Amino acid sequence: MSHAIEFYFDFSSPYSYLASEWIEDLASRHGRAVDYRPVLLGAAFKATQQQVLVKVPLKGDYSRRDFARSARFQGLPFVVPEPFPIGTLAAARTFLWLKDARRPEALPFLHAAFRTYFVRGRDISQDPVLHDLWRECGLDPDAVKEAISQPALKEKLKALGDESLARGVFGAPFIFVDGEPFWGNDRLPQIERWLASGPF
Amino acid sequence: MSHAIEFYFDFSSPYSYLASEWIEDLASRHGRAVDYRPVLLGAAFKATQQQVLVKVPLKGDYSRRDFARSARFQGLPFVVPEPFPIGTLAAARTFLWLKDARRPEALPFLHAAFRTYFVRGRDISQDPVLHDLWRECGLDPDAVKEAISQPALKEKLKALGDESLARGVFGAPFIFVDGEPFWGNDRLPQIERWLASGPF
C-alpha cells in the first residue's frame, strides 16, 4: 500500500468539514489510507499574520456564502454555526487521544464532531455539548476528561502543531499526497488526478 | 441570450490568467457572453486589509507552487514572472479603452497581455514591453498612449474599481453569474453547474 494521505484539519474549519466527507472515499478508491492530523488554526494564523476569514472585510461575507454553497454543491447539510469560529482544543485532544490509542471510536468521533458543529450548529467548545458528543460516540465523559488532561497528550498536540507549521500548513484542510501539499476543499480535482495518474 | 458573465480580473493575477483561458469556452457552451472588467487589485487589497499573496509567510511559498501546478492541471504554459506582482494600470487602461470603443483588438489584447506576463515572463508594466505588446495587437503605441491618457478613461477605470468594491470584489478572478459571486479559478466546477442547471 502506498503512503497514507495526510489530512491536517481544524474542527472549526468549514472547508475541513466538507473535505472530511470525501477524503476517505477518494483515498480508498486509490488504495490509500488517511492519516488525520488535528491542528489549531489559531496558532497558524498567528504565525502567518492572517486574520480569521469571516472577519476580513468583504471576503468574510463572501466566505459565509461560499461555505453554504460549497456544501450544497457537494450535497451536504450545513449551517454557519454561532459562535464561529471557536476554539477546538478539547475536540482536537479527544481525537488525538483516540487516534493514538488506536481506538475504534476515533473516526466516528471525528465525523460526529464536525457534524455536531456544522450540521446541528452546536458549539463543541462547550462542556455540555462535548459531554453529549462523547456519549454519542460511546465514550465516558469522565474517562475522556482524564485522558485529555494528561500533559503528554497536550504536548503531543502542541508538537503536531509545530510540526505542521514547519511543513508549511497555514490553513485547513491541508492535504499531503506523497509529500505534495494541497490546500483547501477545492483542490479535490487536483488530488484526484494525482492519485489516479501520479505527479503532474 | 441570458445575462453576460461578468469577469473581474487584474492582469497581474495568475489565477485570473488561468481563468481567462477557460471562461469564453465555458460561456459560449452555455449561450453566454463574457463581460471583462479590469480592476486594480492593489485598491481592493487596501480596502480589505489583505497582503499581497506571495508575501504572506508560508502561504506565499505554497501559492507559487499552486500557481504552477494549477497551470499544469489545465495544460497551460506558465512561469512565475519576475517581478511579481506588478502594477497593471497601463494594461488595464488599454483594455478598457479598446473595450469601450468596441474595437476588435480588445479580446486579443487581453489574452496577449496575460500571456506576455505569465507565459513569456515579460513585465507588462514597462514601456518597451507595452510597446511590443501593443504593436503585436496591431495598435500604434502613440495612439494608445494618447487614448489612455484621457482623463475620462482614467476616471472610468477608477469608477469601475469603486463599483467592484461596492459589489464585494476583494480578489480576482471574481466572476458573477446572474448576480451570484464566485471567487477564484477553482470555482469553475460550481460555475459550470450553475450555468448548466441554474441556482443550487
Side-chain angles (χ1 to χ4, degrees):
Chain A
M1 193 173 214
S2 313
H3 287 299
I5 294 172
E6 295 161 297
F7 184 92
Y8 288 89
F9 69 95
D10 184 317
F11 281 115
S12 185
S13 153
Y15 296 122
S16 292
Y17 155 63
L18 296 179
S20 76
E21 297 282 347
W22 53 255
I23 190 71
E24 274 150 50
D25 177 57
L26 179 67
S28 76
R29 277 190 280 116
H30 294 281
R32 303 278 188 130
V34 181
D35 182 4
Y36 292 96
R37 302 183 162 208
V39 287
L40 304 175
L41 277 187
F45 281 16
K46 209 166 169 180
T48 57
Q49 302 154 24
Q50 296 176 88
Q51 281 186 75
V52 168
L53 186 58
V54 290
K55 291 188 179 163
V56 179
L58 304 187
K59 198 169 182 175
D61 289 337
Y62 173 81
S63 297
R64 288 172 182 273
R65 187 183 192 112
D66 189 66
F67 297 158
R69 188 180 60 211
S70 295
R72 292 194 302 274
F73 184 69
Q74 292 181 223
L76 292 173
F78 176 83
V79 294
V80 179
E82 273 302 329
F84 174 81
I86 54 170
T88 52
L89 190 58
R93 284 181 182 160
T94 303
F95 176 74
L96 192 59
W97 163 59
L98 294 169
K99 178 192 171 192
D100 279 3
R102 300 177 179 274
R103 293 272 297 256
E105 297 94 336
L107 196 54
F109 171 80
L110 181 146
H111 290 300
F114 271 129
R115 292 169 190 162
T116 297
Y117 189 46
F118 287 114
V119 178
R120 292 154 68 197
R122 299 189 70 202
D123 178 356
I124 58 171
S125 71
Q126 298 303 307
D127 261 7
V129 178
L130 279 167
H131 283 223
D132 287 352
L133 174 58
W134 290 331
R135 271 189 294 258
E136 253 181 61
C137 296
L139 302 165
D140 172 54
D142 290 334
V144 180
K145 279 194 159 171
E146 167 67 18
I148 67 174
S149 66
Q150 298 300 317
L153 181 77
K154 293 182 179 179
E155 271 311 304
K156 199 153 188 174
L157 184 64
K158 210 186 152 301
L160 191 58
D162 293 343
E163 183 209 271
S164 74
L165 278 173
R167 295 185 76 186
V169 174
F170 56 83
F174 207 100
I175 300 167
F176 288 93
V177 184
D178 306 329
E180 179 76 10
F182 296 91
W183 170 51
N185 182 53
D186 39 31
R187 284 297 170 275
L188 165 59
Q190 294 193 19
I191 294 172
E192 192 151 32
R193 182 182 300 178
W194 187 286
L195 288 169
S197 49
F200 58 85
Chain B
M1 194 173 214
S2 314
H3 287 299
I5 294 173
E6 295 161 298
F7 184 92
Y8 288 90
F9 68 96
D10 184 316
F11 280 116
S12 184
S13 153
Y15 296 122
S16 293
Y17 156 62
L18 296 179
S20 75
E21 297 282 345
W22 53 256
I23 189 71
E24 273 151 51
D25 177 57
L26 179 67
S28 76
R29 278 191 279 115
H30 294 281
R32 303 278 189 130
V34 181
D35 182 5
Y36 292 97
R37 302 182 164 210
V39 288
L40 304 175
L41 278 187
F45 280 17
K46 210 166 169 181
T48 57
Q49 302 153 24
Q50 295 176 89
Q51 281 186 75
V52 169
L53 185 57
V54 290
K55 292 189 179 161
V56 179
L58 304 187
K59 199 170 183 174
D61 289 337
Y62 173 81
S63 297
R64 288 172 182 272
R65 186 183 192 112
D66 189 66
F67 297 159
R69 188 180 60 212
S70 295
R72 292 194 301 273
F73 184 70
Q74 290 181 224
L76 293 173
F78 176 82
V79 295
V80 179
E82 273 302 330
F84 173 79
I86 54 170
T88 53
L89 190 59
R93 284 181 181 159
T94 302
F95 176 75
L96 192 59
W97 164 57
L98 294 170
K99 178 191 170 192
D100 279 4
R102 300 176 180 274
R103 293 272 296 256
E105 296 95 337
L107 196 54
F109 172 80
L110 180 146
H111 290 300
F114 271 129
R115 291 168 190 164
T116 296
Y117 189 47
F118 286 115
V119 178
R120 293 155 66 195
R122 300 190 69 202
D123 178 355
I124 58 170
S125 71
Q126 299 302 309
D127 261 9
V129 178
L130 279 167
H131 282 222
D132 287 350
L133 174 58
W134 290 331
R135 271 189 293 255
E136 253 181 61
C137 296
L139 301 165
D140 172 55
D142 289 334
V144 180
K145 280 196 158 172
E146 166 68 18
I148 69 175
S149 65
Q150 298 300 316
L153 181 76
K154 293 181 178 179
E155 271 311 305
K156 198 154 190 175
L157 184 64
K158 209 185 154 301
L160 191 58
D162 293 345
E163 182 208 273
S164 74
L165 278 172
R167 295 184 76 185
V169 174
F170 57 83
F174 208 100
I175 300 166
F176 288 94
V177 184
D178 306 328
E180 180 75 10
F182 296 91
W183 171 51
N185 182 54
D186 39 31
R187 284 297 169 275
L188 165 59
Q190 293 193 19
I191 294 171
E192 192 151 34
R193 182 182 300 177
W194 188 287
L195 288 169
S197 49
F200 59 86

